[in-house]
Amino acid sequence: MAGGGDLYEEGLHKRAANHRPMTPITLLQRAAVVCPERPAIIHGAQTRSYRTFAERAVRLAHGLARLGVGAGDTVSLLSPNAPAVLEANFGVPMLGAVLNSINYRLEPSTIGFILAHGESKVFLVDRELAPLAKAALDKSSQQPIVVDIADALAPPGEAIGSHDYDSLLAESDPAFDWPGIEDEWRAIALNYTSGTTGDPKGVVYHHRGAYLTAMSNLMTFPMGRNCVYLWTLPMFHCNGWGNVWAVTGLSGTHVCLRKVEAEAIFRLIDAHGVTDFSGAPIIYNMLINAPPEVRRRSRHPVSCTVGGAAPPAVVLEGMAEMGFTIDHGYGLTESYGPSATCVWHPEWDELPLEERVEKMARQGVLTPSLEAVSVRDPKSLAEVPTDAATVGEIMMRGNTVMKGYLKNQKASDAAFAGGWFRTGDLAVVHPDGYLEIKDRSKDIIISGGENISSLEVENVLFRHPAVLEAAVVARPDAQWGEVPCAFVTLREAAQGASEAEIISHCRNHLAHFKAPKRVVFGELPKTSTGKVQKQLLRGRAAALAD
């Protein structure tokens, strides 16, 4: 070729007409044009169209700009699932600002740390949570401008801010020419990890990753063009796993839910024709154990996505019996939520229920937005064999992995060491290439040199008819180094079950060294997303007398 140049580069330039930054903001813009009158948000008796949704997002952007918010500024948010959260997921990034949705189950000191660490400029606060926000501000070195959100479905709460959310929007321009972004690598969201040890880490998302997460979710999960999505999943958690943006991309209907209760879930499913919802295993456990007068089969098909480690087999079986179709996904805050899913094969429908449940419990294969999800030796980085037995660490790379941890170069470098994002989750790979989590690296129990999967023991515990919830952690032991210790919540009708009975049940279904040596009865401590706080249980286990 003359000149030795690249045939497909010479004269073929990136232009405004052919190269635009990927951002989920465009998904709301499109929905407002294509389906302006379609119900976008249902919140109690209130329904807002996509035209109104988009207009309010622009008004929010203008209102925040009037408060001095610009590109790179942090806007924090403390609210249950409500319309203002949806509006903020679009209005804040319109300015090139960064949305920091905060877990409202956290203690004030942690929220105060988040406000300071993220250098929050504006703090949007649902008035029901005003006491928590006020306590957090008292403990924080950062004092952002506080904007009160008065939700019609919330109990009356104290106004602690200098501005009111609805008034701010009413005084702002729906035709505001918002600046947008020129670089898709610009940060769009800041989400903090649960902080099981020390201060939580600030996970930074970019516009490209947010857009591709939305597209990936639409390709991965069964949400369709007439999607009606019930927000059982906290919107603060990985920005609703990206479904704040994905459902909007479908011009679907968001049904808000401030408080997760079985009665409300069953009622809203029938009242609004809900087609999809998501959540941690605790949500599904709550539904299958709801009182008979509350629990019922849906009048129409409903697709559910369960996230995290494999839910107990009894939960998967119970949901199937109620007629709910479940997709099992896996992900982390650092991967925008979903990064692997158990893609279902039609021939598996013919398997006996127990075998179907075993298939469904696997975390599966990578989602379309990632280049690779792999199980590797954490030291050599060699891939483990596909023998369903060799344990390695789940690692991933792709466009929907975080930018890194805010102000924490050391943690970012460690997480990306070797050219992969290291999840800390331990898994095996089956001969068909599907991965299955065996434990978190910190949750594996090493007893007398033998590895014991806490998840394996938990699944056996859930098979006992008296067990409602269970968690297993390591307990120090003078002879074996450590041994399994079980924490169990019993069903109301089975309060007489004994420690000896539970241990015997486990010994009947496991190698004896895997059975728990102690069983402690009571309620399990959980995060707001339904994850059992095993770090607390490890402390309790260590304090138990022999």
Side-chain angles (χ1 to χ4, degrees):
M1 180 170 52
D6 188 330
L7 175 64
Y8 293 99
E9 289 300 325
E10 293 183 4
L12 305 176
H13 306 301
K14 292 179 183 178
R15 308 169 190 269
N18 66 12
H19 189 269
R20 304 299 300 159
M22 291 182 181
T23 172
I25 302 170
T26 59
L27 301 177
L28 178 57
Q29 290 179 291
R30 177 185 181 275
V33 171
V34 176
C35 306
E37 303 308 323
R38 177 157 188 187
I41 303 172
I42 295 176
H43 189 49
Q46 178 189 78
T47 299
R48 288 179 181 158
S49 69
Y50 266 100
R51 187 195 308 276
T52 301
F53 182 9
E55 178 185 297
R56 287 177 64 85
V58 173
R59 285 180 180 271
L60 175 59
H62 187 220
L64 292 172
R66 290 165 49 223
L67 295 179
V69 174
D73 287 330
T74 303
V75 176
S76 297
L77 171 68
L78 191 70
S79 173
N81 291 349
V85 186
L86 294 167
E87 293 160 2
N89 269 273
F90 292 92
V92 172
M94 285 177 178
L95 296 174
V98 181
L99 179 63
N100 167 222
S101 293
I102 299 176
N103 180 346
Y104 51 82
R105 297 286 182 86
L106 295 173
E107 64 278 7
S109 60
T110 301
I111 295 175
F113 167 82
I114 289 171
L115 293 173
H117 187 261
E119 301 180 28
S120 179
K121 190 159 190 176
V122 171
F123 191 17
L124 309 175
V125 177
D126 185 284
R127 285 175 62 165
E128 183 181 5
L129 300 174
L132 175 60
K134 193 173 182 179
L137 288 164
D138 287 343
K139 295 177 179 293
S140 182
S141 60
Q142 185 79 5
Q143 294 298 306
I145 299 168
V146 177
V147 178
D148 298 307
I149 303 171
D151 187 336
L153 297 189
E158 180 186 0
I160 64 171
S162 55
H163 298 270
D164 170 74
Y165 183 85
D166 283 324
S167 298
L168 183 70
L169 267 61
E171 297 162 1
S172 298
D173 185 359
F176 173 56
D177 185 17
W178 46 275
I181 57 143
E182 292 300 322
D183 184 357
E184 61 190 21
W185 181 249
R186 179 174 285 282
I188 187 173
L190 172 65
N191 296 300
Y192 281 80
T193 60
S194 54
T196 55
T197 56
D199 291 325
K201 296 191 290 289
V203 176
V204 181
Y205 293 173
H206 49 75
H207 282 252
R208 177 182 178 86
Y211 180 87
L212 290 173
T213 293
M215 296 297 102
S216 182
N217 287 1
L218 298 182
M219 296 170 67
T220 301
F221 302 115
M223 296 183 290
R225 291 178 61 186
N226 296 314
C227 167
V228 180
Y229 190 87
L230 176 62
W231 277 103
T232 50
L233 177 72
M235 292 183 195
F236 65 69
H237 185 42
C238 310
N239 298 87
W241 293 356
N243 285 333
V244 167
W245 301 309
V247 173
T248 301
L250 286 170
S251 303
T253 301
H254 299 268
V255 181
C256 294
L257 183 64
R258 285 184 66 94
K259 187 176 182 181
V260 176
E261 297 173 325
E263 185 280 329
I265 292 172
F266 285 112
R267 173 171 47 82
L268 292 172
I269 286 173
D270 285 344
H272 300 299
V274 168
T275 59
D276 302 86
F277 67 92
S278 310
I282 186 176
I283 299 294
Y284 304 97
N285 198 30
M286 176 185 66
L287 294 177
I288 66 174
N289 289 290
E293 65 272 17
V294 171
R295 186 176 65 249
R296 60 181 182 269
R297 291 179 66 91
S298 171
R299 299 170 187 167
H300 58 274
V302 180
S303 298
C304 313
T305 305
V306 61
V314 291
V315 171
L316 295 175
E317 290 171 358
M319 291 298 289
E321 290 169 1
M322 289 169 54
F324 292 92
T325 302
I326 294 185
D327 282 282
H328 184 201
Y330 161 77
L332 307 91
T333 302
E334 290 88 341
S335 65
Y336 296 68
S339 50
T341 182
C342 185
V343 176
W344 196 255
H345 294 275
E347 57 268 26
W348 294 349
D349 290 331
E350 307 304 319
L351 296 173
L353 177 60
E354 186 172 340
E355 292 183 38
R356 293 203 309 273
V357 167
E358 288 179 0
K359 296 284 190 185
M360 193 182 299
R362 301 185 301 175
Q363 282 66 36
V365 293
L366 79 167
T367 54
S369 62
L370 287 170
E371 179 185 83
V373 172
S374 182
V375 179
R376 295 174 175 260
D377 182 285
K379 293 182 179 178
S380 69
L381 293 182
E383 285 192 281
V384 302
T386 57
D387 58 6
T390 306
V391 175
E393 182 179 358
I394 301 175
M395 302 184 188
M396 59 183 70
R397 57 163 57 131
N399 289 296
T400 49
V401 174
M402 66 171 179
K403 292 182 72 165
Y405 296 116
L406 184 69
K407 300 179 184 175
N408 197 334
Q409 188 69 44
K410 182 178 179 181
S412 296
D413 290 345
F416 292 126
W420 293 85
F421 169 65
R422 296 166 177 256
T423 67
D425 287 322
L426 302 180
V428 299
V429 182
H430 288 263
D432 61 1
Y434 278 53
L435 66 89
E436 180 180 0
I437 288 180
K438 289 301 179 183
D439 233 326
R440 288 288 295 173
S441 57
K442 62 176 180 271
D443 292 336
I444 204 80
I445 301 165
I446 304 174
S447 185
E450 297 282 354
N451 287 354
I452 302 172
S453 165
S454 64
L455 295 179
E456 180 183 8
V457 183
E458 288 164 7
N459 267 319
V460 169
L461 286 165
F462 272 103
R463 288 288 182 183
H464 192 287
V467 173
L468 177 65
E469 296 180 320
V472 174
V473 298
R475 174 175 172 260
D477 183 86
Q479 181 178 2
W480 302 107
E482 54 189 28
V483 293
C485 178
F487 290 82
V488 169
T489 303
L490 295 173
R491 299 179 186 276
E492 283 293 331
Q495 294 300 310
S498 68
E499 180 181 35
E501 177 186 345
I502 299 297
I503 292 175
S504 176
H505 165 78
C506 291
R507 289 171 67 88
N508 288 336
H509 293 86
L510 292 166
H512 286 191
F513 76 90
K514 295 182 179 181
K517 303 303 184 288
R518 291 291 303 271
V519 177
V520 181
F521 297 104
E523 187 175 349
L524 304 184
K526 301 185 187 75
T527 68
S528 59
T529 56
K531 295 179 182 178
V532 175
Q533 294 180 300
K534 285 195 171 183
Q535 76 277 12
L536 298 181
L537 296 182
R538 278 190 285 271
R540 295 179 189 178
L544 292 174
D546 288 326

